[in-house]
Amino acid sequence: MEWFNVGKIVNTHGIRGEVRVLSRTDFPEERFAIGMKLGLFKPDAKKPIMVTVASHRQHKNFELLTFEGYPNINDVVEFKDSYLRIAEHDLTELEDHAYYHHEILGCIVFSEEGREIGAITEILETGANDVWEVTPKAGKKHYIPYIEDVVKEIDVDEKKVVIEVLEGLLNE
């Protein structure tokens, strides 16, 4: 089974078993909903501890969570630096032209003429639109904005993206 990061536990919060989570999801209300089952992966652990969200609230830039069966700080202090992940079967369907990062990372980018530009190695969230870091086999990295004017075709099954190479877009 494949697991996908939704957050990292960076610390405890108070004495009632609350943990401070740095969210890694666009859907925190859904991922951290009361009753949601998550895999908690301690550093270097291969298998998760399954936890169920008992409470969720936001505080500053963090999500504050408690888990069923872990009522105080002594129960959760060992979870610091652990990752919260969801199982692949818990992923929800996205609307058209929206993709999960794991579907885009590793895709090979081609120009409309069929020239290979490189592989998508990172996704930067800039606010207005995502920017894809594209690493060629040789040479400098390119930064491609995920906008309609540039990205013309995405095939996540074939791991292929076709872009229109606008003037000045590539570092060449």
Side-chain angles (χ1 to χ4, degrees), residues 115-132:
R115 180 172 66 98
E116 183 176 323
I117 295 167
I120 299 173
T121 50
E122 191 166 341
I123 298 173
L124 309 170
E125 296 179 21
T126 63
N129 55 270
D130 288 351
V131 174
W132 296 343

Side-chain angles (χ1 to χ4, degrees), residues 20-77:
R20 190 176 296 177
V21 175
L22 195 55
S23 177
R24 291 281 176 247
T25 176
D26 288 335
F27 315 106
E29 299 80 19
E30 189 179 318
R31 300 291 180 237
F32 305 129
I34 294 172
M36 184 71 178
K37 293 191 183 326
L38 299 169
L40 187 147
F41 286 79
K42 289 183 179 179
D44 303 326
K46 298 287 179 245
K47 291 189 174 188
I49 298 167
M50 294 307 295
V51 293
T52 302
V53 177
S55 73
H56 169 230
R57 65 188 176 106
Q58 291 186 302
H59 177 68
K60 297 183 180 173
N61 294 340
F62 299 100
E63 309 295 326
L64 298 180
L65 304 178
T66 59
F67 305 119
E68 291 178 7
Y70 298 91
N72 81 48
I73 188 171
N74 297 325
D75 299 325
V76 297
V77 73

